[in-house]
Amino acid sequence: MSVAIVDDDPIVCSSIGTILTATGTTTVLWTAHDGAAAVREYAAHTPDVLLIDVQMPGMDGLDAAERILDGHPDARILILTTFADPDYIRRAVQLHTKGYLIKQDVASVIPAVQAVMAGQVVLGAEVLGQIAADGGHDGGRDMQVVEDERFSRLTERERDVVALVAEGCDNRQIAAELHLSEGTVRNRISDILAKTNIANRTKLAVEWLSCH
């Protein structure tokens, strides 16, 4: 698969590129160092996945992502930044980017890119935690939260499971918290995804947090 990397620090672009190409399954199609260049390059040479930072000189990464998605709605864009800012995260989700990662562990980029290629949305636990902490507020203005009818069909125990998924808990942590086996948790999550017609647990978490 081909990737493009956009970061205002050339060393970051080089480091991420080295990590990705070391797998032998990824090639770096191009790199850029600001949003405007990213928009131009994407139009000329479309990668399978675009990794882009947020804060850059001139056009930032989210503005660039919006422009790219306007022209290429199927673009797989993964935000990779040092900023777990609720406003940035909210906008990235609203733009329907394919994920938001914090640059704490660059090794996580490889599984994230693979997940995006497989059609998944990738949000790290820290990002989900920020969404949860910011839930119910929008720039200081109270948001009107309406229960999604998909969740109204869930049992109380299923709702407990979803709430823990939205907090970024893995199956082991959910099992310990609710005194269930990990197998039961896996089955419950499968049932919940089927009932709500939501594709995966990350989208489940985002949808739950958006209305609670």
Side-chain angles (χ1 to χ4, degrees):
M1 60 184 162
S2 62
V3 300
I5 306 166
V6 185
D7 194 290
D8 60 348
D9 186 342
I11 295 175
V12 171
C13 289
S14 177
S15 298
I16 295 172
T18 298
I19 290 168
L20 288 170
T21 55
T23 65
T25 60
T26 306
T27 59
V28 177
L29 194 58
W30 49 266
T31 62
H33 306 303
D34 62 74
V39 174
R40 291 195 303 270
E41 289 292 337
Y42 195 97
H45 308 285
T46 302
D48 292 321
V49 179
L50 172 65
L51 298 169
I52 190 166
D53 194 7
V54 175
Q55 291 193 2
M56 294 182 292
M59 184 188 300
D60 69 28
L62 292 172
D63 284 342
E66 182 173 16
R67 293 199 184 190
I68 290 169
L69 287 164
D70 281 345
H72 307 269
D74 295 328
R76 300 184 186 94
I77 300 177
L78 181 59
I79 306 297
L80 181 63
T81 181
T82 56
F83 301 99
D85 182 284
D87 290 335
Y88 291 165
I89 295 167
R90 186 188 307 111
R91 188 174 175 208
V93 170
Q94 290 171 342
L95 288 173
H96 300 293
T97 62
K98 298 302 181 184
Y100 194 111
L101 291 181
I102 306 302
K103 294 179 188 173
Q104 291 177 326
D105 180 9
V106 291
S108 66
V109 172
I110 295 173
V113 169
Q114 292 170 336
V116 168
M117 278 299 296
Q120 299 177 27
V121 175
V122 179
L123 297 174
E126 183 176 352
V127 173
L128 286 172
Q130 284 288 356
I131 296 174
D134 193 52
H137 298 280
D138 184 11
R141 297 168 296 174
D142 288 338
M143 295 174 64
Q144 183 179 5
V145 178
V146 180
E147 172 76 353
D148 191 312
E149 65 177 18
R150 292 173 297 178
F151 295 122
S152 67
R153 297 193 288 267
L154 301 181
T155 66
E156 284 303 314
R157 180 45 63 98
E158 287 171 337
R159 293 167 69 87
D160 291 340
V161 171
V162 178
L164 290 170
V165 169
E167 290 178 15
C169 297
D170 60 24
N171 288 354
R172 179 183 57 80
Q173 293 168 321
I174 295 171
E177 180 70 22
L178 299 180
H179 307 290
L180 301 170
S181 71
E182 289 188 50
T184 298
V185 171
R186 282 194 297 272
N187 291 338
R188 289 287 176 90
I189 292 175
S190 294
D191 290 343
I192 290 164
L193 294 175
K195 278 187 179 182
T196 57
N197 196 31
I198 294 174
N200 56 59
R201 65 189 294 149
T202 300
K203 290 183 179 179
L204 178 68
V206 172
E207 295 288 350
W208 175 266
L209 291 170
S210 71
C211 64
H212 290 85

